[in-house]
Amino acid sequence: MVGRPNRPSALSATPGLAPQPQVTFSDDNSRVSAVLPTGESVTVLLYGATVTSWTDATGAEKLWLSSAAHLDGTKAVRGGIPLVFPVFGTAPDHAQTGKLPQHGFARTSRWEFLGKSTSESAGGSGAADLTAKLDFGLSAAGLDEAARKLWPFAFNLIYSVNLNRESLTTSLVVTNDDDKAFDCQVLMHTYLRVKDISNVEVLGLESAEYVDKVDGAKTKTQAAAVTITGETDRVYTPAGEAVTVVEGGKKTYSVTRDNLSNVVVWNPWTDKAAGMGDFEPKDGYKNMLCIEPGSVSGWQSLEPGDAYEGAQTITYYS
């Protein structure tokens, strides 16, 4: 071959696409995981569309998951981010949801994986700014017969889990596909992992009213930062959108709500943890704090064709 001094460079030297997020299924197709090129990851169990893991680039876990959690589809998952719909707790006096089990059926139904997408976060470029979005769906057709009898409405849920380098966003869209109105409540039961609950403060709830479910559902007002010194189960209605978790004087997480009016703060403490068979280790309450954005102090009433959307964004600080 005659040499050409100005011949094109070899194809292998041509710049290619930046590394892309990788999305994989488990061997038994029970869960889907996304990993960013920079190492952050999220795993979602199709049973309940439950986020069971969220790690940073070093592999450090941000969510608390009980070592005795049921991950085989036999029971709602203890830990991670279970979804509450269409009722928070139980509502025996509510005509439409009064017969449903605690926290409804979303967390105990198998969801359909609808697909993935990737994008570049605002203001950035390259692999370090890529995000991965996973979408899941559940409709009346996906419920078991018992659940359909207890809540006989046509509906559609789209749940999106969006992973980027410093944060995780989960959003739920509820659509009424029925010919009659229905009421619903929504909550994202997020278990954050902390090092030592005795060193934790929650900011952003000062001056907010809350219902203290440990003290006879009395309505109270938060005077200062929230600290956890015993069993805690409170439904706050704060004015601001963001709640900050501080541990040992250092900001660890912020949780920002979008169109979700309430924040539940929950920790079972010693006695309640001991009484839950799927809560392990029993002293695990020292390493978790539930900050749960939701719309649960009243009802979202959706007319036929109406939709409701709520979301949370959890940001961690290294």
Side-chain angles (χ1 to χ4, degrees):
M1 177 182 292
V2 177
R4 293 190 300 163
N6 297 317
R7 68 180 184 273
S9 58
L11 185 61
S12 59
T14 302
L17 291 174
Q20 297 295 301
Q22 299 298 309
V23 175
T24 59
F25 278 89
S26 62
D27 291 341
D28 61 358
N29 289 324
S30 67
R31 69 200 73 191
V32 59
S33 298
V35 181
L36 299 185
T38 44
E40 296 82 2
S41 73
V42 67
T43 299
V44 183
L45 190 69
L46 292 181
Y47 181 75
T50 308
V51 179
T52 57
S53 175
W54 170 38
T55 70
D56 66 16
T58 70
E61 182 62 61
K62 303 304 175 186
L63 301 176
W64 185 88
L65 182 69
S66 168
S67 61
H70 295 254
L71 303 178
D72 59 358
T74 60
K75 186 178 180 181
V77 176
R78 176 69 64 191
I81 310 178
L83 278 175
V84 172
F85 176 89
V87 61
F88 173 61
T90 58
D93 297 328
H94 187 258
Q96 294 181 349
T97 62
K99 295 181 180 179
L100 286 172
Q102 178 166 298
H103 294 336
F105 51 72
R107 65 181 188 151
T108 55
S109 298
R110 183 178 173 92
W111 292 57
E112 179 184 1
F113 178 57
L114 301 179
K116 65 181 176 69
S117 59
T118 61
S119 61
E120 195 174 289
S121 59
S125 61
D129 298 293
L130 286 172
T131 68
K133 180 170 171 279
L134 307 175
D135 292 323
F136 305 86
L138 179 68
S139 66
L143 300 183
D144 61 32
E145 184 177 353
R148 285 198 300 271
K149 287 182 178 179
L150 294 176
W151 208 67
F153 297 98
F155 69 93
N156 187 55
L157 304 180
I158 302 294
Y159 184 55
S160 299
V161 178
N162 197 325
L163 171 71
N164 71 29
R165 291 208 65 187
E166 284 92 24
S167 67
L168 185 74
T169 298
T170 62
S171 62
L172 183 67
V173 180
V174 182
T175 304
N176 183 350
D177 290 337
D178 212 292
D179 58 4
K180 53 188 175 294
F182 64 68
D183 296 339
C184 64
Q185 296 176 327
V186 169
L187 180 127
M188 299 171 189
H189 200 310
T190 307
Y191 289 72
L192 295 176
R193 178 176 288 275
V194 298
K195 294 177 181 177
D196 182 355
I197 192 65
S198 67
N199 287 331
V200 169
E201 289 184 320
V202 182
L203 307 179
L205 299 174
E206 297 85 353
S207 302
E209 282 197 350
Y210 66 95
V211 175
D212 192 341
K213 297 174 73 175
V214 175
D215 188 14
K218 294 178 182 176
T219 299
K220 304 178 180 180
T221 300
Q222 185 66 39
V226 179
T227 57
I228 309 299
T229 58
E231 182 185 350
T232 302
D233 192 355
R234 303 173 182 175
V235 182
Y236 286 88
T237 306
E241 295 179 346
V243 171
T244 302
V245 177
V246 175
E247 186 166 6
K250 179 182 177 183
K251 182 161 68 172
T252 307
Y253 302 100
S254 67
V255 181
T256 303
R257 294 167 292 116
D258 185 358
N259 203 31
L260 296 170
S261 57
N262 303 116
V263 176
V264 175
V265 178
W266 183 76
N267 184 290
W269 211 249
T270 310
D271 292 345
K272 181 155 280 189
M276 292 187 288
D278 61 351
F279 194 101
E280 292 289 349
K282 293 305 180 187
D283 64 353
Y285 69 88
K286 297 177 181 178
N287 305 119
M288 53 75 61
L289 175 64
C290 284
I291 302 291
E292 311 167 27
S295 181
V296 298
S297 58
W299 297 90
Q300 293 293 329
S301 296
L302 299 184
E303 295 295 327
D306 280 355
Y308 166 76
E309 180 175 6
Q312 68 167 346
T313 296
I314 314 166
T315 302
Y316 70 85
Y317 301 90
S318 53

